[in-house]
Amino acid sequence: MDSYNSEKTSKPWLKRKLLHEHLAKTEGENFTILADPLFDFALSRELNSGDNMYVNTRAVQLYASLYDKITITSSFYETQADLPQYIDSYYNTFHVVPGEARVKPFGNGAYDWGTAYATLGYQANSWLYVETGNDKNFIGNGYRSMILSDYSPQYLYLKTSLHHGRFFYTNLAARTLNPNFNNISGSNSGWSENSLYEHKMMNINYFGVHVNNKIQAGIFEASMLGVHTRNAPKFTAFLPVINELAYANDSLHFLWGADILICPSSYLPLGIYSQIVYDSRKAIAVQAGLSWTIFTSMGSCFLRGEWNMASSGTYQSLNDDNFWGHYNQPLSHPAGNNFNEWLVQLGWQFKRFQAFAHIGQTYYKAGISSRNIFNNNLNDAEVPVRLLTADVKMSYLVNPSYNWQVFMGISYWNQPVSGEKYMIPSLGMKTFLRNRYFDF
């Protein structure tokens, strides 16, 4: 498979492959197939302790488009990593690495895991799109999402989208993992690492409208159907409101809410966005933010300011089998509930040079129940915590086709109550195709 015929250019073949094109590409009248290597090679050092760390990820990604109707993506990642001590603490509590599923110890304090993603999409016509896969989804316009973020691991899902004029509707149905992955509560006496885990169903109905060319708004209804839910609500979950009326006491956990995006002027690239979530536990979560992009002769600049909060009990399980999460991790904000966060991001790009800075502060309660996994049924101390995180990175975009970058940067993580403080410079090269959240 090669791209001589489809990407003819005067540049030498090796230079084109390294700096401009997909590694492999072939196309015909009704199809396109792409293949690229993916990787994340990084070295870092914690300055206070002197600990050396690394990330070693190798992956491959495939993409295919058929008849302008069908799209297929597939990727597989294999990773070994030695991570900061605050991630070790997270693993010791939740038995997972943030954003990943099953992980096993590797070497002296490191981790080893493999991850696979795949999607199959079909554009039936101008108003109907259907997609299934094993991947992550994101609803919103911010850095975080209070509805559904790409923080937790991938899951099996079916997504159906309808469009008509200014209106659109999306249904997302997914299979997520029941709480107590790796028996972190200690309640399963017969547990072993090879044990099977019960699954539950997540369903989201989202209705949106492009009010005009400046305002987009939407409302949603979401439900988590516990492992003991009868079959009938699983079939009617695709019909809004039905389950609230007919099966409200049938091990269902409901969320309702809305989001909005306002772009005041086509001449001013400013976006103002917000989300609000109301939980059937009579708790709320709110997001408010703005983003601004400026284009100048010295490159483009990006600015974001965002505030997020969730009251106590938001997303939390009603009966320990329908928490708003997956693999012991929240499906929305990584901090779970009972937190208040602000963050600021600043980015700059000139040709292939990029710089990015992030600073954020979160007030929350540490512990399992505050991250909405169990229904407050563990002897789990909830100590008020203030967390300050910051990141500064500079990078050079080697190949924009699959976002291959070389980078150097420094990360800061400070939790004054516990006295934990980490300053971690790093350098490496990676393909920036997926988000990884360690800033919580």
Side-chain angles (χ1 to χ4, degrees), residues 72-91:
I72 302 170
T73 66
S74 179
S75 58
F76 178 76
Y77 297 72
E78 177 66 29
T79 300
Q80 292 81 42
D82 192 340
L83 301 172
Q85 291 181 21
Y86 62 90
I87 300 300
D88 294 338
S89 298
Y90 186 94
Y91 177 83

Side-chain angles (χ1 to χ4, degrees), residues 63-195:
Y63 169 87
S65 174
L66 308 174
Y67 293 95
D68 294 325
K69 292 281 189 179
I70 299 173
T71 56
I72 302 170
T73 66
S74 179
S75 58
F76 178 76
Y77 297 72
E78 177 66 29
T79 300
Q80 292 81 42
D82 192 340
L83 301 172
Q85 291 181 21
Y86 62 90
I87 300 300
D88 294 338
S89 298
Y90 186 94
Y91 177 83
N92 292 336
T93 300
F94 299 101
H95 293 195
V96 288
V97 169
E100 304 297 339
R102 191 180 292 270
V103 175
K104 62 182 181 181
F106 175 78
N108 185 19
Y111 306 97
D112 181 10
W113 68 90
T115 309
Y117 303 93
T119 64
L120 171 62
Y122 177 59
Q123 187 72 54
N125 47 48
S126 60
W127 54 270
L128 174 61
Y129 175 75
V130 180
E131 180 181 285
T132 186
N134 183 56
D135 211 323
K136 305 181 181 186
N137 291 272
F138 188 96
I139 298 177
N141 302 285
Y143 174 66
R144 311 286 196 190
S145 173
M146 309 307 288
I147 304 172
L148 179 66
S149 77
D150 55 351
Y151 164 68
S152 64
Q154 69 277 17
Y155 40 79
L156 182 65
Y157 72 91
L158 173 65
K159 180 164 59 178
T160 305
S161 298
L162 303 172
H163 294 262
H164 179 70
R166 296 182 298 165
F167 299 92
F168 58 95
Y169 162 74
T170 297
N171 173 267
L172 176 67
R175 190 185 74 166
T176 59
L177 196 67
N178 195 43
N180 204 28
F181 176 70
N182 275 345
N183 195 30
I184 64 173
S185 72
S187 60
N188 187 351
S189 59
W191 173 84
S192 73
E193 290 187 354
N194 295 320
S195 295

Side-chain angles (χ1 to χ4, degrees), residues 25-37:
K25 177 178 180 179
T26 185
E27 60 183 354
E29 182 179 355
N30 296 312
F31 73 92
T32 300
I33 300 175
L34 307 174
D36 289 305

